[in-house]
Amino acid sequence: MPSISSVFSADGLLARTIDGFVPRDAQTEMAKAVKTALDKKQSLIVEAGTGTGKTFAYLAPALMGKGKAIVSTGTKNLQEQLYHRDLPLVKKALGSLRKTALLKGRANYLCLHRLSQHGGNSTLLEKETLDQLSAVKTWSTTTKTGDMGELKTLPEDARVLPLVTSTVDNCLGRDCPDYEDCYLVKARRNALDADVIVVNHHLFFADMALKDTGFGELVPEADAVIFDEAHQIPDIASDYFGEALSTRQLSEMAKDITLLFRTVLKDAGQLDKAADKCRIVAADLRLLFPETPQRGNWVEAMEREDVQTQISRLADALGVLHEVCKLNIGRDKDLDNLYERIVQAREQLDAFRNTTQTGVSLWYETSPRHLVLHLTPLSIAAKFRRFISDPPRGWVFTSATLMVDDGFKHFQRRMGLEEATTLGLDSPFDYQKQAVLCVPRYLPEPNSFQLKQTLLETAKSLIKASRGRCFLLFTSHAMLKEIAGKLADEIDNPLLVQGSTTKQALLAEYLADENAVLLGTGAFWEGVDVRGSDLVCVMIDKLPFASPDDPLLQARMEDVKKRGANPFAAIQIPQAVITLKQGAGRLIRDPGDKGVLVICDNRLVTKPYAKTFLASLPDMRRTRSLAQVEAFLSEIE
């Protein structure tokens, strides 16, 4: 077995296989630390600055190890990049014969049973959905993997997808007539046979929290678990350790019952009526909240008499459905599964009627058509600490953005990783030469009315100086829309605005037009890799503090207050620092990149906590003069 040094050295295995491979001390140091953690079955937290080469630094030790390793990353796109691009390169360099597998969440795989259920039942569907269904049917005769991603003609939010893929709720598991041919079962079996499995965080925590049973669980089999983009884990894990009940779930349950009534149980008219009643009562519950999507405190909502009454009606309707369904048990496998779904929905609804629970946050969010109720634990630290300690295995958590104030305490406290080894590695880039950070002079206060005009004027001068090639990142959709609307009338550059099409399509358009300007919120603050002179300017409207109206944030802050700590310092600042680091990280992606980061928030100069933000950003040259920024941009080819 080669040593880490012989893999990463100037004449090592990677250099011999990959053209242009340059050894980096930080990369070698991280690889050694990862190998030690995996060999000794310990926990390691690594912040590796942009350009460290962290992907190779954890893949090489994972492939060199003896046991089974799970590598989990933030998104499907990163997962595919890791599996199809990075993993084969490292495997080839090491001459490794270890078996690798890619496993996605169940919503990515065709469900043969659902497809056959909707096969001859066209009366319930609109024309567009029918056209999509026929495309799926044609493709289903030739696909080997059942991965819906192969169907490039389907939009990401195609209405046919829920009809031909399964959910944890409607999957029949081993009772399904198509179990042996099931694409998800095959993908899971393939993963269980592999030595290195690439998953994403949502799939990992669904498996870990046993929210997706009925298949061989992956996590117990693993000897090593490596999380890339680990800064996302605390929020994702909290979701899976909690509960959620949505009116969409209830509506789909009712639709599945109607489908059964029309195709199989044609004498069960009462069942169809009871299901329809549930669907109507759930839809009426959504109507009690404003039309525009919002988040709110569920305990406060339950103080309203109309909400209480409607929740009681929903409980009664589910009770009737439960009784009617019980009479038909044993007649059909799908109906038996629906009975279990009804029982679970009743239990969940009972939990949301108990508004005196402690240690959790009860909150809701609305979409244009649905209401989702959430029960989220305020802390998952104790639960996760227990999980990682038994049985012993190697755990690695890495990201470019984990440290706040030169330390890992925030992340360690949230995840119960106080005992883990930590390692902070700086980026190898020369930020003093490559980048300028500007907080312009004379900025109005962040919440003042004048800020919009200032942002508009600043954006115009930056776009002109950089000749397009800009990202304008916003902390709210409202500000994004307003600035986008005004800019459209005042500049000639093509404007690509988040929400107009998918993220991937926007990025492709941006790269195809060197004068383009991209305006985005949350989705574009991370996981976007634009190199070279295609991106020379990133403007951020203000420090990305989470909305103080967020009910989950409010509950966590209240919890911190009860323990005698300062919630602003303990929660809001660290989260905003990590988000800002992600946004800033879009700018310099290569040793040859140059660019400017402009943050239009005077709190970076006036507030005592500014030094925490500035210390967490790369060591760029600093200025308050937009004229200097324009001069720097004019020098970039």
Side-chain angles (χ1 to χ4, degrees):
M1 182 57 68
S3 69
I4 290 293
S5 302
S6 68
V7 173
F8 288 91
S9 63
D11 57 354
L13 296 174
L14 286 169
R16 281 179 229 157
T17 312
I18 300 164
D19 289 340
F21 177 82
V22 179
R24 286 165 263 190
D25 292 343
Q27 186 179 46
T28 309
E29 190 181 344
M30 177 174 166
K32 285 177 177 172
V34 171
K35 186 164 188 333
T36 302
L38 301 190
D39 289 347
K40 294 187 176 177
K41 299 199 181 308
Q42 294 170 341
S43 297
L44 170 71
I45 305 170
V46 188
E47 176 171 296
T50 310
T52 307
K54 63 179 163 56
T55 310
F56 284 10
Y58 63 70
L59 284 181
L63 284 164
M64 288 159 73
K66 287 195 175 67
K68 185 185 284 283
I70 293 178
V71 179
S72 180
T73 187
T75 62
K76 243 184 333 191
N77 288 336
L78 287 170
Q79 204 186 342
E80 297 207 338
Q81 180 182 309
L82 197 67
Y83 182 75
H84 293 297
R85 192 186 74 184
D86 303 329
L87 198 49
L89 273 176
V90 182
K91 211 174 146 183
K92 184 181 172 191
L94 295 175
S96 171
L97 299 173
R98 305 198 82 210
K99 194 176 168 195
T100 59
L102 173 72
L103 183 63
K104 298 181 185 179
R106 64 163 63 242
N108 294 282
Y109 296 99
L110 174 70
C111 172
L112 294 167
H113 182 57
R114 300 271 297 162
L115 181 66
S116 67
Q117 270 189 314
H118 287 94
N121 191 48
S122 55
T123 53
L124 292 170
L125 305 176
E126 297 156 6
K127 184 181 182 314
E128 184 192 8
T129 316
L130 271 175
D131 292 344
Q132 291 173 352
L133 185 60
S134 68
V136 172
K137 278 185 191 159
T138 307
W139 164 77
S140 72
T141 59
T142 57
T143 179
K144 291 194 168 47
T145 64
D147 184 341
M148 300 300 297
E150 292 175 6
L151 255 176
K152 303 291 182 205
T153 52
L154 277 192
E156 283 176 12
D157 56 352
R159 299 185 88 156
V160 76
L161 288 174
L163 307 181
V164 295
T165 59
S166 68
T167 64
V168 182
D169 288 337
N170 61 32
C171 174
L172 299 181
R174 292 179 191 280
D175 292 332
C176 180
D178 295 296
Y179 184 77
E180 287 307 318
D181 297 320
C182 174
Y183 292 114
L184 178 61
V185 171
K186 286 177 184 171
R188 285 232 169 194
R189 280 182 187 152
N190 192 28
L192 285 166
D193 288 343
D195 301 304
V196 178
I197 311 154
V198 180
V199 301
N200 61 49
H201 300 336
H202 287 277
L203 179 59
F204 180 91
F205 284 102
D207 201 84
M208 173 184 158
L210 298 184
K211 288 285 169 79
D212 199 349
T213 48
F215 296 96
E217 276 72 49
L218 292 173
V219 183
E221 299 280 326
D223 301 285
V225 180
I226 298 165
F227 290 105
D228 199 348
E229 304 296 327
H231 62 279
Q232 299 176 358
I233 290 175
D235 289 333
I236 292 172
S238 296
D239 285 346
Y240 282 97
F241 287 138
E243 293 286 346
L245 176 67
S246 70
T247 55
R248 178 194 291 271
Q249 241 170 293
L250 299 173
S251 167
E252 300 211 328
M253 187 167 80
K255 277 185 194 162
D256 286 347
I257 289 173
T258 299
L259 183 64
L260 264 188
F261 164 63
R262 292 193 180 185
T263 53
V264 183
L265 304 173
K266 295 185 177 175
D267 57 346
Q270 284 300 105
L271 188 62
D272 183 44
K273 280 180 188 156
D276 206 42
K277 173 78 173 166
C278 262
R279 187 183 57 73
I280 292 164
V281 174
D284 287 348
L285 176 63
R286 168 63 185 94
L287 295 176
L288 298 180
F289 296 88
E291 188 181 342
T292 48
Q294 61 168 201
R295 293 174 124 196
N297 183 318
W298 180 244
V299 178
E300 287 172 11
M302 278 292 279
E303 288 167 4
R304 287 170 45 186
E305 203 172 313
D306 56 349
V307 173
Q308 273 184 33
T309 306
Q310 197 62 22
I311 285 288
S312 295
R313 281 185 189 143
L314 184 57
D316 292 344
L318 276 169
V320 171
L321 183 59
H322 176 253
E323 291 306 313
V324 179
C325 193
K326 210 173 178 177
L327 299 173
N328 291 280
I329 279 185
R331 293 185 62 192
D332 182 88
K333 289 274 190 261
D334 283 295
L335 186 74
D336 294 354
N337 168 260
L338 279 159
Y339 177 73
E340 285 172 24
R341 286 163 67 183
I342 296 163
V343 169
Q344 189 185 10
R346 289 185 78 193
E347 284 171 3
Q348 286 176 318
L349 188 62
D350 284 345
F352 287 106
R353 294 175 84 184
N354 174 9
T355 53
T356 57
Q357 302 173 65
T358 55
V360 296
S361 168
L362 292 169
W363 56 285
Y364 70 86
E365 60 184 331
T366 57
S367 64
R369 296 174 64 179
H370 290 287
L371 167 76
V372 190
L373 307 181
H374 294 274
L375 182 155
T376 308
L378 297 179
S379 170
I380 57 161
K383 209 167 194 174
F384 197 72
R385 193 184 298 118
R386 281 197 303 277
F387 182 77
I388 64 166
S389 60
D390 185 37
R393 49 169 81 97
W395 292 88
V396 177
F397 304 83
T398 184
S399 167
T401 56
L402 289 173
M403 294 171 80
V404 178
D405 243 355
D406 285 333
F408 292 91
K409 280 198 171 55
H410 174 68
F411 183 75
Q412 287 175 289
R413 195 171 53 237
R414 285 194 76 184
M415 296 302 294
L417 292 168
E418 292 84 356
E419 303 298 312
T421 307
T422 60
L423 176 64
L425 298 167
D426 288 336
S427 167
F429 299 152
D430 185 349
Y431 282 101
Q432 280 287 322
K433 281 190 180 159
Q434 290 178 249
V436 172
L437 167 65
C438 175
V439 180
R441 287 194 186 94
Y442 316 122
L443 287 169
E445 289 301 309
N447 53 2
S448 78
F449 190 71
Q450 289 81 27
L451 184 68
K452 286 174 195 162
Q453 195 56 37
T454 305
L455 283 174
L456 183 67
E457 297 306 325
T458 308
K460 277 162 55 183
S461 67
L462 290 172
I463 292 165
K464 186 179 177 187
S466 61
R467 304 181 290 287
R469 306 183 295 168
C470 286
F471 273 16
L472 309 182
L473 299 180
F474 296 87
T475 50
S476 77
H477 284 280
M479 187 66 89
L480 164 72
K481 282 182 183 159
E482 197 148 343
I483 299 296
K486 289 182 175 173
L487 270 178
D489 299 332
E490 302 202 23
I491 62 166
D492 298 327
N493 302 62
L495 290 183
L496 305 172
V497 183
Q498 184 181 336
S500 57
T501 178
T502 66
K503 182 177 175 180
Q504 293 313 109
L506 274 180
L507 273 175
E509 276 184 64
Y510 176 84
L511 291 169
D513 189 334
E514 61 182 25
N515 297 311
V517 177
L518 193 145
L519 292 83
T521 62
F524 284 92
W525 283 67
E526 60 178 292
V528 175
D529 191 3
V530 178
R531 292 166 188 258
S533 59
D534 285 327
L535 177 61
V536 294
C537 175
V538 173
M539 183 187 97
I540 290 175
D541 68 337
K542 56 182 175 183
L543 295 179
F545 285 110
S547 163
D549 301 333
D550 186 289
L552 184 54
L553 178 67
Q554 285 175 346
R556 285 188 173 137
M557 287 171 68
E558 201 55 48
D559 188 51
V560 169
K561 261 188 219 163
K562 282 178 190 163
R563 289 188 271 118
N566 174 352
F568 186 65
I571 297 180
Q572 287 174 285
I573 288 177
Q575 288 184 358
V577 165
I578 285 168
T579 308
L580 184 67
K581 283 171 79 170
Q582 280 291 337
R586 296 316 98 221
L587 185 62
I588 304 295
R589 309 294 299 172
D590 255 347
D593 288 3
K594 285 190 168 184
V596 297
L597 172 65
V598 180
I599 304 174
C600 301
D601 193 327
N602 65 2
R603 289 174 293 185
L604 272 177
V605 181
T606 61
K607 297 290 183 189
Y609 55 74
K611 61 180 188 297
T612 304
F613 282 93
L614 293 170
S616 299
L617 290 172
D619 182 27
M620 303 176 182
R621 236 186 305 165
R622 293 181 191 172
T623 181
R624 299 212 60 198
S625 158
L626 277 174
Q628 281 189 25
V629 164
E630 289 165 16
F632 184 82
L633 284 170
S634 69
E635 293 167 14
I636 300 174
E637 290 302 318

